[in-house]
């Protein structure tokens, strides 16, 4: 059975072949930009879910999750583009460091639930810009 990283390596090979005409540094930069694009699509879906777009787009949590997975895949591909042989180890090391710091900062209990949550970006209900380029009235 293929692991996540096995699939990332296979997808990376396909994508690299498609971009073989580009210099390696440009290919890396474009893939990092793809992460931002996918994250933007996730926000658009979230705005549609919450009725915050003026485009009439309706979205579901399933669509938000789909776009989140797209952002994760794009990020893992970008890591693989940057360091094909070390991406897995780098990911594991960073994940360990960040989750350890989170456990220490959050005072996690044996059940895995923290006494306080980690700081995360919140969606501001006074969003002025939508991804379809129109502005919402200030409010």
């Amino acid at each position: 059975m293929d692991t996540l990283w096995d699939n990332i390596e296979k997808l990376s090979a396909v994508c690299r072949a498609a971009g073989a005409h580009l210099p390696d540094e440009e290919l890396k930069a474009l893939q990092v930009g793809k992460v931002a694009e996918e994250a933007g699509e996730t926000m658009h879906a979230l705005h549609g879910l919450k009725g915050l777009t003026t485009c009439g787009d309706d979205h579901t949590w399933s669509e938000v999750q789909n776009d989140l997975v797209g952002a994760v895949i794009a990020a893992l591909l970008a890591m693989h583009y940057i360091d094909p042989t070390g991406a897995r180890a780098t990911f594991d090391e960073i994940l360990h460091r960040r989750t350890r710091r989170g456990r220490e900062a959050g005072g996690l209990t044996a059940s895995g639930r923290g006494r306080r949550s980690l700081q995360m970006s919140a969606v501001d209900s006074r969003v002025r810009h939508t991804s379809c380029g129109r502005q919402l009235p200030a409010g």
Side-chain angles (χ1 to χ4, degrees), residues 23-129:
D24 191 55
E25 288 299 309
E26 187 174 348
L27 197 57
K28 289 176 188 177
L30 288 170
Q31 188 58 42
V32 170
K34 182 70 173 170
V35 177
E37 177 194 351
E38 293 291 340
E41 289 178 13
T42 303
M43 284 305 301
H44 178 77
L46 181 61
H47 287 176
L49 176 76
K50 296 298 180 178
L52 295 174
T53 67
T54 56
C55 306
D57 289 347
D58 291 332
H59 293 277
T60 64
W61 280 115
S62 178
E63 291 170 297
V64 172
Q65 288 179 311
N66 182 65
D67 289 337
L68 284 168
V69 170
V72 169
I73 291 169
L76 293 177
L77 276 171
M79 289 187 69
H80 192 268
Y81 277 29
I82 292 166
D83 184 6
T85 60
R88 288 182 193 206
T90 299
F91 180 87
D92 289 344
E93 188 275 323
I94 293 169
L95 180 65
H96 175 75
R97 185 177 66 236
R98 286 176 163 240
T99 56
R100 184 185 70 234
R101 184 173 51 213
R103 286 189 307 269
E104 292 168 357
L108 290 177
T109 64
S111 69
R113 295 190 176 176
R115 289 187 299 258
R116 61 188 178 137
S117 63
L118 298 174
Q119 293 288 327
M120 298 188 78
S121 297
V123 177
D124 184 355
S125 62
R126 295 171 294 163
V127 175
R128 296 179 191 277
H129 298 282

Side-chain angles (χ1 to χ4, degrees), residues 1-12 80 88:
M1 181 174 188
D2 290 342
T3 68
L4 173 65
W5 280 102
D6 292 334
N7 286 318
I8 292 299
E9 288 176 8
K10 290 174 186 176
L11 186 55
S12 178
H80 192 268
R88 288 182 193 206

